Amino acid sequence: MSGVYARRIAVLAASTAFAATTGLLTAPTAQAAMPTPVSASTARTYLSELTVAAEGSSSGYSRDKFPHWITQSGACNTREVVLKRDGTNVTTNSSCAAVSGTWYSEYDGATWTAASDLDIDHMVPLAEAWRSGASSWTTAERQAYANDLTRPQLIAVTDNVNQSKGDKDPANWMPSRAAYKCTYARAWVHVKHYYDLTVDSAEKSALQSILNNC
């Protein structure tokens, strides 16, 4: 792993999670408070810089190799921080579990009032990252990736929508809500570029098509 990447991980590990934990969602049509991805023009540049390669093997992959959800502060783990960040009027108990609030799922436009109806999606799924370069990372690097609150990598969305996405890349899955597709593509490229992950040719073509229309 490069020195630049190692420094990125060190900065990420040292950063605190609570700068963005207040509920920023003010209306159902507002974007959830995931960190804003790079612009479409920057994403197009980033995409051109990514290494194009056939996806690697899933051999050896396990979600356990990407430890999550880790403690961020006090009793709060990464999932709980994202739920509070992405929701409106979220109330938590002494264990930091969200007991009330409202969440708008950007992928499908659904609104939920129970945290159990939400999954925290990894924008670039863990298995996709594994096949795109993360198989060579250390466990600490994979942990940082799986809990990254600084990049547009984590977002609270409808649980069964996240499950339908699985580990598919944009050539095989995109959010059903057309208004979010540009943001999704920008975020995907932002994450892949930051972590020096590869793209396959079909994935790159799908992303180019979306970004060219942003």
Side-chain angles (χ1 to χ4, degrees), residues 1-10 136-137 141 193-196:
M1 200 58 60
S2 70
V4 170
Y5 182 81
R7 288 194 295 277
R8 287 174 175 173
I9 290 296
S136 66
W137 297 353
E141 288 165 345
H193 186 269
Y194 183 84
Y195 285 99
D196 300 319

Side-chain angles (χ1 to χ4, degrees), residues 152-205:
Q153 165 68 341
L154 300 173
I155 185 171
V157 295
T158 303
D159 54 1
N160 63 350
V161 172
N162 181 50
Q163 290 151 24
S164 74
K165 171 182 172 177
D167 64 354
K168 301 180 184 75
D169 70 33
N172 298 299
W173 190 93
M174 286 292 294
S176 61
R177 184 169 162 261
Y180 201 67
K181 290 183 179 181
C182 182
T183 302
Y184 187 89
R186 288 159 49 208
W188 184 282
V189 172
H190 185 155
V191 172
K192 281 226 161 175
H193 186 269
Y194 183 84
Y195 285 99
D196 300 319
L197 295 170
T198 62
V199 289
D200 64 48
S201 56
E203 174 188 357
K204 182 174 182 178
S205 294

Side-chain angles (χ1 to χ4, degrees), residues 44-53 169-171 188-189 192 198-212:
R44 287 191 288 269
T45 299
Y46 280 6
L47 183 59
S48 71
E49 294 170 352
L50 293 177
T51 299
V52 179
D169 70 33
W188 184 282
V189 172
K192 281 226 161 175
T198 62
V199 289
D200 64 48
S201 56
E203 174 188 357
K204 182 174 182 178
S205 294
L207 289 163
Q208 282 177 324
S209 178
I210 296 161
L211 291 171
N212 286 341

Side-chain angles (χ1 to χ4, degrees), residues 6-79:
R7 288 194 295 277
R8 287 174 175 173
I9 290 296
V11 170
L12 175 60
S15 66
T16 57
F18 280 88
T21 59
T22 53
L24 300 180
L25 211 67
T26 57
T29 55
Q31 178 180 319
M34 178 182 75
T36 303
V38 294
S39 68
S41 61
T42 299
R44 287 191 288 269
T45 299
Y46 280 6
L47 183 59
S48 71
E49 294 170 352
L50 293 177
T51 299
V52 179
E55 281 200 350
S57 170
S58 292
S59 178
Y61 168 73
S62 166
R63 288 179 67 84
D64 292 340
K65 292 184 177 179
F66 292 79
H68 66 289
W69 305 110
I70 63 170
T71 299
Q72 293 291 341
S73 180
C76 301
N77 67 25
T78 309
R79 172 183 165 83

